[in-house]
């Protein structure tokens, strides 16, 4: 990178120390130790003038470049996101996956976020009309939502969806991940699909009450959830427990 001559081959660069002249005036004090070490290593190298230079791509086993190896290089040092198994891998409608991502990022325009922006809002949770509407309250703490989750736990035969087993999570990502924690892979995937479906249906009920002044009972919401789950199951979600 510091050399004045960018296109020298190794043979020409080593002839009569040409590479050193190419670096004249460009080696800073921070790079001096590296320069000395590199010069010492070159003194130990044995090069054959009749052998042509070759290029080796060190990111593949055979030393050859490939588009696939370059693609994998983009992800070196990347960290796995906890959202991948919880949101992006389970079977669910794309809109439900994206919505769940907004939930765990706290990107929903619930009353608390509207208040922070000094925008008009209804303050109270539209499902229970008791507390300030926050993302955590709407899906985890609201009595109306907890009643829905309790019935879904029975419908899905998934004990972990019962609010009585939840404890007091501090963040929605902790709560959502805890719904399937410790379960076998197939059961965990099924529970995650249910959780994404129920989150979306609770949000739809919330919006209906705010924007259309139309409210549904828990039984009506459960009927909608059951119908949607049946459609998902027909599409291949395997959301219902295996039949005996």
């Amino acid at each position: 990178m510091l050399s004045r001559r960018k296109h020298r081959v190794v043979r020409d660069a080593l002839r009569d120390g040409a590479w050193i002249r190419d670096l004249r005036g460009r080696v800073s004090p921070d790079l001096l130790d590296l320069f000395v070490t590199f010069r010492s290593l070159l003194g130990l190298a044995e090069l054959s003038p009749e052998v042509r230079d070759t290029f080796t791509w060190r990111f593949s086993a055979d030393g050859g470049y490939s588009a696939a190896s370059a693609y994998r290089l983009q992800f070196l040092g990347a960290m796995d996101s906890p959202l991948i198994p919880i949101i992006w891998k389970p079977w669910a409608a794309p809109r439900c996956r994206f919505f769940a991502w907004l939930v765990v990022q706290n990107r929903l325009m619930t009353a608390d976020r509207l208040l922070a922006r000094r925008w008009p809002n209804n303050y109270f949770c539209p499902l229970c009309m008791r507390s300030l509407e926050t993302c955590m309250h709407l899906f985890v703490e609201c009595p109306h939502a907890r009643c829905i989750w309790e019935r879904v736990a029975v419908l899905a035969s998934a004990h972990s969806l019962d609010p009585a087993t939840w404890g007091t999570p501090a963040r929605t990502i902790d709560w959502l991940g805890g719904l399937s924690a410790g379960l076998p892979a197939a059961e965990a995937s099924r529970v995650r699909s249910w959780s994404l479906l129920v989150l979306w249906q609770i949000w739809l009920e919330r919006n209906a009450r705010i924007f259309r002044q139309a409210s549904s009972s828990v039984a009506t919401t459960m009927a909608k959830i059951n119908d949607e789950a049946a459609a998902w199951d027909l599409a291949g979600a395997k959301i219902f427990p295996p039949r005996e």
Side-chain angles (χ1 to χ4, degrees):
M1 293 178 61
L2 298 178
S3 177
R4 289 184 172 86
R5 299 289 295 275
K6 305 296 185 183
H7 302 291
R8 283 193 194 273
V9 296
V10 175
R11 179 191 61 197
D12 294 338
L14 294 179
R15 182 180 293 130
D16 299 326
W19 71 276
I20 298 177
R21 292 192 296 274
D22 291 340
L23 294 175
R24 184 177 299 163
R26 298 195 173 199
V27 179
S28 64
D30 295 338
L31 297 176
L32 187 58
D33 289 341
L34 183 61
F35 171 80
V36 173
T37 301
F38 183 61
R39 185 175 183 180
S40 300
L41 291 174
L42 286 179
L44 300 176
E46 296 182 4
L47 302 178
S48 301
E50 67 277 3
V51 178
R52 295 179 61 84
D53 295 344
T54 59
F55 295 93
T56 301
W57 179 252
R58 64 187 180 92
F59 299 103
S60 60
D62 60 0
Y65 172 83
S66 68
S69 64
Y71 178 79
R72 290 192 297 269
L73 179 61
Q74 308 301 314
F75 300 96
L76 288 180
M79 299 177 62
D80 289 336
S81 168
L83 303 183
I84 294 175
I86 297 173
I87 293 176
W88 302 115
K89 281 192 174 181
W91 202 107
R95 64 176 179 270
C96 297
R97 290 176 178 169
F98 181 72
F99 175 74
W101 179 81
L102 292 177
V103 170
V104 299
Q105 299 290 329
N106 194 30
R107 294 293 184 180
L108 300 182
M109 284 301 173
T110 46
D112 60 328
R113 298 196 71 210
L114 295 174
L115 278 172
R117 290 165 171 75
R118 299 183 179 182
W119 291 355
N121 65 90
N122 297 328
Y123 188 88
F124 290 107
C125 167
L127 301 184
C128 67
M129 299 302 294
R130 296 183 184 179
S131 304
L132 169 66
E133 183 197 38
T134 66
C135 196
M136 179 65 80
H137 172 83
L138 181 64
F139 298 110
V140 183
E141 301 167 351
C142 173
H144 185 92
R146 291 174 75 91
C147 188
I148 293 173
W149 284 108
E150 183 179 347
R151 297 195 185 189
V152 168
V154 176
L155 175 64
S157 297
H159 183 62
S160 61
L161 295 178
D162 190 336
T165 67
W166 290 352
T168 54
R171 303 180 303 167
T172 51
I173 180 60
D174 299 329
W175 162 74
L176 194 60
L179 297 179
S180 55
L183 297 177
E187 179 66 8
S189 180
R190 195 174 68 83
V191 168
R192 290 163 183 164
S193 293
W194 274 106
S195 64
L196 300 183
L197 170 57
V198 177
L199 284 175
W200 178 245
Q201 291 296 327
I202 290 176
W203 183 251
L204 292 181
E205 174 61 21
R206 177 259 190 197
N207 287 346
R209 296 189 179 203
I210 291 178
F211 300 113
R212 300 199 305 273
Q213 290 74 52
S215 61
S216 300
S217 64
V218 171
T220 301
T221 302
M222 284 303 303
K224 296 176 182 177
I225 291 174
N226 188 45
D227 291 344
E228 188 71 10
W232 285 22
D233 201 56
L234 287 174
K238 298 181 180 179
I239 197 170
F240 288 101
R243 296 173 182 172
E244 298 292 339

